[in-house]
Amino acid sequence: MSIERSASADHQTAPASTGQGVRFLAVLDADSTLIENEVIELLAEEMGSLAEVAGITERAMQGELDFAESLRERVATLAGLRVDRIPVIAARITLTRGLEELIDGLHRRGSRIGVVSGGFHELLDPLASALGLDHVRANRLAVADGRLTGGLDGPIIDAAAKAEALAEWAAEDGIPLSRTVAIGDGANDLEMMATAGLSVAFNAKPIVRRRADVVAGRVDLAGVLPLLGFVD
């Protein structure tokens, strides 16, 4: 991963290079960060609403739409999708290059990793379990009679909720915020990135590239490890 330091980043601290005994918490967005896909677009493709959903997603990620409102609009297009199709759709998810190396590199040094997403537990929970992630938080799709209702069940995971998750997990793991890393690509990741000790714009929109501490020049998550002083 080549790295560019953002000249306009308003973050003042980042985790310093350290020895093997220092623990970190890395928190990643899911869509286009942890994974290459946009999960709601996979679901929408099944329902034939892909073009509509993709347009709403792009406007939300650019910061042109309120995330909660745009999410509700996108999920509404999924009404009627059979729940038993979700594992089939989830099988199409592609992991981002370097993810498993990042997870292994963090865990071997006693560090932790989580994913917080505006996507959905129904697709991310099995993936997080298989990968051995320490934390996962996402939205839940409302279901009735074996089909999606087009609504959501529980609170929406928006920009503020992402920042709250990072702070909550850091406290739970006994890791100071100065040794947390937030990795994201869209406008709804900015509050989380402002909360973390180090923010990394990864495969990111221009607004995120401008405000992150560092910008990843290559789509390979293993390149995060040297930023933490973890070099084998």
Side-chain angles (χ1 to χ4, degrees):
M1 176 191 291
S2 61
I3 294 294
E4 307 166 21
R5 188 159 296 276
S6 173
S8 61
D10 51 15
H11 236 127
Q12 67 174 29
T13 59
S17 295
T18 64
Q20 299 293 309
V22 177
R23 301 169 65 236
F24 291 92
L25 167 67
V27 178
L28 290 75
D29 176 43
D31 295 351
S32 300
T33 305
L34 184 89
I35 62 176
E36 294 183 1
N37 318 84
E38 296 282 336
V39 294
I40 197 165
E41 293 184 1
L42 295 178
L43 295 166
E45 188 172 9
E46 182 82 7
M47 289 299 296
S49 60
L50 178 59
E52 180 182 359
V53 163
I56 299 169
T57 298
E58 181 62 23
R59 291 176 65 199
M61 293 296 282
Q62 295 287 0
E64 298 173 7
L65 290 176
D66 173 77
F67 177 78
E69 181 180 359
S70 68
L71 179 64
R72 291 189 184 98
E73 290 182 9
R74 288 175 287 176
V75 171
T77 74
L78 307 178
L81 179 65
R82 286 170 29 208
V83 172
D84 61 11
R85 292 295 300 167
I86 291 179
V88 178
I89 296 166
R92 297 170 51 199
I93 290 174
T94 301
L95 301 180
T96 297
R97 181 171 57 195
L99 173 61
E100 291 169 298
E101 292 91 333
L102 175 62
I103 295 168
D104 179 66
L106 289 168
H107 282 164
R108 282 191 291 110
R109 297 166 175 91
S111 294
R112 308 276 282 178
I113 183 168
V115 58
V116 59
S117 174
F120 310 105
H121 273 290
E122 290 79 3
L123 288 92
L124 289 177
D125 283 354
L127 185 63
S129 178
L131 291 169
L133 299 184
D134 302 296
H135 305 285
V136 58
R137 187 166 297 172
N139 296 295
R140 293 193 182 277
L141 296 163
V143 176
D145 300 322
R147 294 181 181 270
L148 300 187
T149 68
L152 293 163
D153 186 5
I156 288 179
I157 305 303
D158 58 8
K162 286 188 172 190
E164 290 165 7
L166 183 144
E168 177 185 321
W169 294 340
E172 179 181 319
D173 293 337
I175 295 172
L177 286 176
S178 62
R179 294 206 298 270
T180 62
V181 185
I183 306 167
D185 73 306
N188 64 332
D189 297 316
L190 289 173
E191 289 192 38
M192 172 178 75
M193 294 169 77
T195 300
L198 178 71
S199 59
V200 179
F202 186 85
N203 196 25
K205 303 295 187 293
I207 189 173
V208 179
R209 294 172 66 88
R210 289 194 298 269
R211 292 175 59 179
D213 293 316
V214 293
V215 177
R218 200 157 57 87
V219 181
D220 187 335
L221 285 168
V224 172
L225 292 169
L227 296 177
L228 308 182
F230 292 162
V231 180
D232 290 324

